[in-house]
Amino acid sequence: MSLDLPPGLGLPMVYLVDDEDVVRDAVAWLLRSRRLLSQGHGSAEAFEAALDADPGVQPGRWPTSPSCLLLDLRMHGMSGLALFERLGDRGLTQAMPVIFLTGHGDVPTAVAAVKRGAFDFVEKPFSNNALVDRIERALLVSAETIGARRERAQRLRGLDELTEREHLI
């Protein structure tokens, strides 16, 4: 699959949250080899703190460019599933599909994650090509969501600019 995003949406970003340095480094290298940007975090808490520190992170407005989150299920501290639920409660997963990565996956956990809105569930070790294909699909979904959000905002701005008389017509 080749990533063909609509123009004007900015560069795609893949967020990596995994407590294993070797996994983050390997996935980051894989993404770089496919010309995809990534940002790694060693814990759920570190990722959440980075979001909290960014004033541009607002529900329904973030992310502004196609993004997805690769999230380890089991980590020291907050679990990936707990972070996923917290991000969902904050409205931050609408345009950022979440792909769970785990070395300890089981069918009930995978089903529960997908029912809660996860984009996909991938077991470690994973096939590089299959993982990149899933990431690219997630980025396309993100781009579609961001594009639709921008179109809605543009229509609303157009409505706000109508005169009182134009509203009556």
Side-chain angles (χ1 to χ4, degrees):
M1 175 180 206
S2 175
L3 188 60
D4 189 24
L5 296 173
L9 291 180
L11 294 174
M13 175 62 71
V14 179
Y15 297 97
L16 311 170
V17 180
D18 196 305
D19 60 353
E20 295 181 57
D21 293 339
V22 67
V23 172
R24 283 194 323 276
D25 291 345
V27 173
W29 179 87
L30 172 64
L31 294 172
R32 275 193 310 275
S33 75
R34 305 293 176 91
R35 299 182 183 265
L36 291 170
L37 298 175
S38 67
Q39 186 182 103
H41 300 275
S43 68
E45 293 86 355
F47 180 68
E48 196 169 41
L51 293 180
D52 291 342
D54 185 341
V57 175
Q58 297 174 13
R61 304 178 107 185
W62 184 87
T64 57
S65 64
S67 302
C68 76
L69 172 61
L70 292 180
L71 182 57
D72 189 14
L73 188 64
R74 289 188 184 174
M75 296 181 282
H76 300 292
M78 187 190 318
S79 73
L81 200 53
L83 175 63
F84 175 63
E85 289 177 4
R86 289 172 65 123
L87 295 173
D89 290 345
R90 293 173 61 184
L92 297 178
T93 58
Q94 296 163 346
M96 182 181 63
V98 177
I99 300 171
F100 279 100
L101 292 176
T102 186
H104 311 284
D106 58 69
V107 173
T109 303
V111 169
V114 171
K115 281 185 176 180
R116 291 180 181 151
F119 185 79
D120 210 339
F121 197 91
V122 178
E123 288 186 285
K124 297 175 190 173
F126 46 82
S127 155
N128 289 347
N129 289 333
L131 179 61
V132 172
D133 285 348
R134 288 177 171 151
I135 290 168
E136 288 180 344
R137 283 190 202 105
L139 291 170
L140 287 170
V141 167
S142 177
E144 290 169 4
T145 303
I146 292 167
R149 184 172 60 198
R150 286 183 180 177
E151 286 177 21
R152 272 192 311 277
Q154 189 174 13
R155 282 194 305 270
L156 289 174
R157 277 192 304 276
L159 287 173
D160 287 344
E161 293 172 2
L162 293 177
T163 65
E164 189 174 320
R165 182 178 173 106
E166 290 171 323
H167 273 285
L168 294 174
I169 297 175

